[in-house]
Amino acid sequence: MVGRSAPNRHPNRKLASRVRAVPGIRAVSTYRREWLVKDLVAGVVLTTLLVPQGMAYAELAGLPAITGLYTTVLCLLGYAVCGPSRILVLGPDSALGPMIAATVLPLVAAGGDPDRAVALASVLALMVAAVMILASVAKLGFISDLISKPTMIGYMNGLALTILIGQLPKLLGFSVDADSLIGECAGFVRSLAGGAAVPAAAAVGIGGIVVVLVLQRFLPKVPAVLVMVVLAIGAAVVFDLGERGVALVGELPEGFPPFTVPDVRPADLPLLLGGALGIALVSLTDTISNASAFAARTGQEVRGNQEMAGVGVANLAAGLFQGFPVSTSGSRTAVAERAGARTQLTGVVGAVLIVLMLVLVPGLFRDLPQPALAAVVITASLSLADLSGSVRLWRQSRTEFLLCGAAFAGVALLGVLPGIAVAVSLSVLNVFRRAWWPYRTVLGRVPDLEGYHDVRSYPQARQLPGLLIYRFDAPLFFANARTFRDEIRRLAGTDPRPTWIVIAAEPMTDVDTTAADILEDLDEALNADGVHLVFAELKDPVRRKIERFELTRTIDARHFFPTVGAAVAAFRRLTGAEWTDGDH
């Protein structure tokens, strides 16, 4: 009996262990009573930012403002259950808005059917969820490293400019119909010159930007966006701005949407998938960077794969309730942190308050001017730009500055979705370029300095007659093996002619079959001319590969040394060569 009953209990324990491993359940089981008041207060403060930003970013994505609130509620609840970070805040994001619009709006009928746009955006959120969850299961968090810092700076600068130009007409009370940044610039200038701007709208929009920037600069603890929104609603009521040509948000739908499986045409799915991959990559990069920054402050460990799963579940929840793709938000997380947030209960409080607002007071933002939402988006876009980072790249590395500029141009000229493809391609090509044309140099002995050093940094460095020490700072593979061969041939032909060329091989972390074949031919040609190829500091895994490739048939097994110093000492014993005067 005992032997039969034990296996039945084991699955129960395993199931209980898995349930306890869910971040939300683990957070509840370890929750401390003294955190409650702080989480409740932080949730109220956070809500004052979540509502206007959610509405503004929904319109940035080309969707009805109400969908931003639906999305905010569901993603906060989804991440509270499955997200590992204690205080990271998710929601509609200014960086994702243009990408969503670029994916969804071309598929919407010419009439601009908002229901179809919402359905497409919801499917997009579900696709992003699938990508993130599958990437989490496959432990692909490293994919966020596909975008280097310089190309990310350029991409974000281009995105900030795209958002700014796209929101300027709304800020001034008119609209422009264009498909590109240049077209939007031209249309904006033409409309402005034609007198399309509405003075009252311009006053609200520009005034809103000034209020937000001034408060953020001089009173950072004051909820700047909330203050601006309240002032804008007050101005709309007092001055009857709706009758002066200023577009207002209007009455929001009452209540909350039901569980909905979005219905779209199969022909739309391939185009949506392309957008979902780009959005998932940007969201992943943003999530990992934000999680790392806030984890360092709170003493948490960053769990990249769990973060992907948490963001994936948040997108899944949003997509099933008429929402759109979301990401983490550094600004909203900072607000929650400053307000005293301790756990994800802060986000849950925010979600509950938004639901109560939709159910009890849906007309609360009826008189909110649309230019005020444009002001919210524009001030957010300014935080995306990193002009000081671009200047630093110009000073530190012209090559990486050019990469930054190329990524910027990709977004500005091709659009946000092609722009992310350009950014990833440039990052990968830059890695390939560094491996293709690595740094390489000759080493020499420097008086009163231990070891062997780059002759470019130490022109006074000396070499033993008949010996050259060469360092190649990259793995040896098909793309750079011919560069290595040509450089060795050039060194072998110098005057006086060396008899040993010692490869300082510590940076050489790999050798592939193409490089092995080239090495074999090179060694045979050098041996015919009385020159020997010698390896020092070759890593054991690489040495084993060379033996497996049978290179020791041509390269003398005695020509492998543990250190450069050992190779030099062996050469001196063999030839009796001495360092020139002034060397030790």
Side-chain angles (χ1 to χ4, degrees):
M1 291 290 290
V2 174
R4 275 198 295 255
S5 61
N8 292 332
R9 292 197 302 269
H10 184 65
N12 293 335
R13 289 200 302 269
K14 187 175 290 186
L15 177 61
S17 175
R18 289 176 179 173
V19 170
R20 286 194 299 271
V22 175
I25 294 176
R26 189 167 61 244
V28 170
S29 64
T30 59
Y31 195 83
R32 299 180 187 175
R33 184 178 299 177
E34 60 266 27
W35 292 345
L36 182 59
V37 173
K38 292 182 178 180
D39 279 339
L40 292 175
V41 172
V44 174
V45 173
L46 182 62
T47 306
T48 64
L49 185 62
L50 293 174
V51 172
Q53 282 196 345
M55 297 168 67
Y57 296 160
E59 296 203 343
L60 175 63
L63 301 167
I66 186 64
T67 60
L69 302 183
Y70 298 159
T71 300
T72 301
V73 169
L74 269 303
C75 75
L76 288 174
L77 296 177
Y79 188 82
V81 174
C82 295
S85 173
R86 286 202 297 264
I87 65 168
L88 212 58
V89 178
L90 270 69
D93 187 66
S94 57
L96 300 189
M99 302 180 74
I100 297 168
T103 306
V104 169
L105 295 187
L107 299 176
V108 178
D113 180 8
D115 291 336
R116 176 162 161 73
V118 170
L120 290 166
S122 296
V123 171
L124 191 61
L126 296 177
M127 286 185 167
V128 171
V131 171
M132 297 292 272
I133 293 172
L134 288 174
S136 171
V137 172
K139 301 187 185 305
L140 298 180
F142 66 89
I143 289 177
S144 63
D145 298 332
L146 286 177
I147 306 183
S148 66
K149 183 68 177 292
T151 51
M152 196 62 179
I153 290 174
Y155 175 78
M156 285 300 179
N157 286 342
L159 194 60
L161 180 63
T162 300
I163 294 172
L164 176 64
I165 297 300
Q167 291 294 304
L168 281 178
K170 183 177 176 182
L171 187 80
L172 302 182
F174 61 93
S175 61
V176 170
D177 186 15
D179 296 327
S180 66
L181 182 65
I182 295 176
E184 287 182 342
C185 287
F188 174 73
V189 171
R190 282 195 304 268
S191 298
L192 195 61
V198 177
V204 171
I206 296 172
I209 292 175
V210 171
V211 168
V212 171
L213 294 181
V214 169
L215 289 178
Q216 287 178 343
R217 175 69 176 84
F218 297 105
L219 297 171
K221 292 187 177 181
V222 173
V225 172
L226 175 64
V227 171
M228 185 272 289
V229 166
V230 171
L231 291 175
I233 293 175
V237 173
V238 172
F239 298 106
D240 198 15
L241 295 183
E243 296 298 321
R244 296 174 181 270
V246 179
L248 305 178
V249 168
E251 194 85 22
L252 296 176
E254 184 177 349
F256 204 73
F259 176 89
T260 305
V261 177
D263 183 23
V264 298
R265 293 192 293 261
D268 296 331
L269 297 180
L271 296 175
L272 289 173
L273 179 59
L277 292 173
I279 290 169
L281 180 58
V282 172
S283 179
L284 173 60
T285 303
D286 207 24
T287 297
I288 296 299
S289 62
N290 283 323
S292 301
F294 287 97
R297 299 184 197 179
T298 59
Q300 279 189 280
E301 180 184 349
V302 177
R303 297 184 288 274
N305 292 311
Q306 285 191 22
E307 288 292 356
M308 282 191 291
V311 176
V313 171
N315 277 280
L316 177 64
L320 293 174
F321 287 86
Q322 301 182 26
F324 52 86
V326 298
S327 182
T328 56
S329 169
S331 62
R332 275 163 281 181
T333 304
V335 168
E337 183 187 46
R338 287 198 301 267
R342 290 294 181 269
T343 69
Q344 285 297 326
L345 180 59
T346 296
V348 174
V349 170
V352 170
L353 290 177
I354 294 174
V355 171
L356 291 176
M357 184 200 76
L358 291 173
V359 172
L360 302 178
V361 281
L364 186 62
F365 291 91
R366 177 180 56 242
D367 295 317
L368 176 61
Q370 291 283 358
L373 292 181
V376 172
V377 173
I378 288 174
T379 52
S381 73
L382 297 179
S383 68
L384 294 178
D386 188 0
L387 298 182
S388 61
S390 302
V391 172
R392 186 175 67 251
L393 288 175
W394 170 260
R395 292 173 179 167
Q396 295 176 350
S397 173
R398 297 297 170 86
T399 300
E400 294 196 334
F401 176 80
L402 290 175
L403 286 173
C404 175
F408 172 84
V411 178
L413 300 178
L414 301 178
V416 290
L417 287 178
I420 191 65
V422 168
V424 172
S425 299
L426 289 173
S427 296
V428 173
L429 285 174
N430 189 39
V431 172
F432 192 70
R433 178 192 65 83
R434 291 175 183 273
W436 193 356
W437 295 308
Y439 186 78
R440 47 207 188 270
T441 189
V442 170
L443 306 181
R445 187 82 176 269
V446 179
D448 301 319
L449 192 60
E450 187 176 352
Y452 301 87
H453 302 278
D454 190 340
V455 298
R456 297 174 185 171
S457 301
Y458 298 92
Q460 74 275 24
R462 299 288 189 268
Q463 298 164 4
L464 281 173
L467 178 79
L468 272 175
I469 306 171
Y470 176 71
R471 194 181 73 211
F472 190 82
D473 291 350
L476 199 60
F477 68 113
F478 66 92
N480 62 23
R482 288 174 179 79
T483 300
F484 177 86
R485 178 197 62 192
D486 295 344
E487 191 83 352
I488 295 298
R489 283 177 175 174
R490 183 187 66 78
L491 293 173
T494 55
D495 188 26
R497 193 180 192 86
T499 55
W500 273 27
I501 298 179
V502 176
I503 309 299
E506 185 182 17
M508 199 174 290
T509 56
D510 196 14
V511 175
D512 71 0
T513 54
T514 302
D517 291 341
I518 290 175
L519 272 178
E520 184 175 20
D521 294 340
L522 174 64
D523 188 60
E524 289 178 346
L526 292 176
N527 290 340
D529 292 335
V531 180
H532 299 285
L533 206 56
V534 177
F535 289 87
E537 301 179 359
L538 196 65
K539 290 179 170 55
D540 288 342
V542 183
R543 172 69 185 272
R544 286 193 290 270
K545 271 195 170 185
I546 284 179
E547 291 172 349
R548 191 162 68 249
F549 295 155
E550 298 182 348
L551 279 178
T552 48
R553 290 187 296 106
T554 57
I555 301 176
D556 194 330
R558 294 170 297 177
H559 287 169
F560 291 91
F561 294 92
T563 65
V564 173
V568 171
F571 179 79
R572 292 182 67 188
R573 287 194 301 270
L574 183 66
T575 63
E578 295 290 339
W579 296 105
T580 56
D581 293 341
D583 285 21
H584 301 286

